[in-house]
Amino acid sequence: MSTSRPSPARTSRGPRPASIARVPGIDYDVLDTLLGYALRRAQIAAFDQFYRATAGYGITPPRFTALVILGANPGVSQTALAAVLGIARSGAMQLTDWLVGRKLAERRARADDGRAWGLYLTRRGAALAAELKRRVRAQDARLGARLTAAERRALLRLLDRVAE
Amino acid sequence: MSTSRPSPARTSRGPRPASIARVPGIDYDVLDTLLGYALRRAQIAAFDQFYRATAGYGITPPRFTALVILGANPGVSQTALAAVLGIARSGAMQLTDWLVGRKLAERRARADDGRAWGLYLTRRGAALAAELKRRVRAQDARLGARLTAAERRALLRLLDRVAE
DNA sequence: TATTGTTATACTCTATAACTATA
DNA sequence: TATAGTTATAGAGTATAACAATA
């Protein structure tokens, strides 16, 4: 076989499929008692599910978040988007460039403020957002498959309190 | 005030202090119902606590994990360390270089396998590990400060099940 | 042949700082 | 002066691929 890869549906390079299975014979010491470490492990599992749900779309968690936020908040500014994502404005700009470059979103001039853009999903972006929301929701349900509905609610509530 | 920063105890550049406060006036749509998003938010809060606990030590979560693992598993190999951290061997090597460069760990030849190193904490590394464990444990408790002891236990258990 | 550690290289994400144009 | 967006640059972290020594 040559070096060319058929690559079934691998548009994205998958930033982090990193599994983090327990290594047998290793003593994890204090790590097993830390909330922070348990969170990290759970989040890696969540990332894994997320990438499985969005394989082939080139979507990362921040990109998904951006699509959802633009869909629910038409006309939002890049600075607001940056605040939601907890990243620098320059990063929000690159993210927006990515979305615009794929015709998923567009920048429109604002009447009230000549400095800022209003960000909007295109029809294509809205369709993708809907599709991804469906997929991510399904995979998220699978993530909590080992939990009862009540446990799932409890976990969500506990996590919210930890996050402040 | 000039541009020079006294910077009390800022040895590390703090890879991600990124706060991710709720932005007022923004509709988070489906994000508020996703376990994965709740995990992400909680983990960012945990990261924040972690960096506060280890400020000035140049410690990152993987470095802390490595110190703990080496302390509890003397003679562990770089490949095993990589597996625990869920990173490539080349990354484990760089991490080890960092530890060795600061005289926190050392590589010792192995009797049974000429290819592999055995990794050990130095006396200095063991002291730092103990100090950091104390600090991280204290900050981790603060992370769950809004939870009762029973809730904390429940959360830990639920997270373990989510992480498989 | 397979594995350990290593080296070289590249890519993603994010940050900072300086610049412009508006406010 | 302050803010929105932009540009340029840099750094951390991690990945892949190829190589030498050893198993």
Side-chain angles (χ1 to χ4, degrees), chain A residues 14-158:
Chain A
R16 183 172 326 161
S19 81
I20 192 175
R22 217 108 196 160
V23 178
I26 291 288
D27 178 359
Y28 283 75
D29 193 21
V30 72
L31 298 176
D32 278 329
T33 73
L34 294 175
L35 223 42
Y37 193 69
L39 281 169
R40 178 165 175 257
R41 289 179 59 86
Q43 220 228 340
I44 288 174
F47 262 56
D48 202 53
Q49 289 286 37
F50 180 88
Y51 284 115
R52 217 165 308 176
T54 63
Y57 288 92
I59 292 297
T60 60
R63 286 171 187 170
F64 174 72
T65 301
L67 284 171
V68 171
I69 293 296
L70 262 61
N73 306 270
V76 74
S77 71
Q78 283 183 192
T79 296
L81 181 59
V84 169
L85 293 167
I87 62 176
R89 277 171 302 149
S90 59
M93 203 214 96
Q94 288 183 208
L95 210 178
T96 303
D97 280 349
W98 189 90
L99 294 173
V100 170
R102 277 154 193 77
K103 302 208 186 307
L104 299 170
E106 59 188 22
R107 296 178 166 100
R108 295 189 204 156
R110 269 190 173 183
D112 59 314
D113 191 333
R115 298 170 301 180
W117 297 112
L119 303 179
Y120 297 83
L121 290 186
T122 60
R123 187 193 296 275
R124 189 158 166 255
L128 179 61
E131 163 74 6
L132 289 175
K133 279 202 269 187
R134 233 179 304 126
R135 286 169 163 272
V136 169
R137 211 157 15 194
Q139 279 295 54
D140 195 78
R142 209 170 300 179
L143 182 66
R146 303 188 173 195
L147 311 178
T148 66
E151 284 173 332
R152 192 198 147 91
R153 277 195 304 276
L155 177 54
L156 213 51
R157 196 170 38 77
L158 289 169

Side-chain angles (χ1 to χ4, degrees), chain B residues 101-112:
Chain B
R102 277 153 194 78
K103 302 207 187 308
L104 298 171
E106 58 187 23
R107 294 178 167 100
R108 295 190 204 155
R110 269 189 173 184
D112 59 316

Side-chain angles (χ1 to χ4, degrees), chain A residues 39 43 46 140 143 152 155-164, chain B residues 20 22 30-45 159:
Chain A
L39 281 169
Q43 220 228 340
D140 195 78
L143 182 66
R152 192 198 147 91
L155 177 54
L156 213 51
R157 196 170 38 77
L158 289 169
L159 288 173
D160 269 352
R161 275 204 277 161
V162 165
E164 285 160 316
Chain B
I20 192 175
R22 216 109 197 158
V30 71
L31 298 176
D32 278 328
T33 73
L34 294 174
L35 223 43
Y37 192 69
L39 281 168
R40 178 167 174 255
R41 289 178 57 87
Q43 220 228 340
I44 288 175
L159 288 173

Side-chain angles (χ1 to χ4, degrees), chain B residues 126-150:
Chain B
L128 179 62
E131 164 73 7
L132 290 175
K133 279 203 270 187
R134 231 179 306 125
R135 286 168 163 273
V136 169
R137 209 156 17 194
Q139 280 295 56
D140 194 79
R142 210 170 300 180
L143 181 67
R146 302 185 173 198
L147 310 179
T148 66

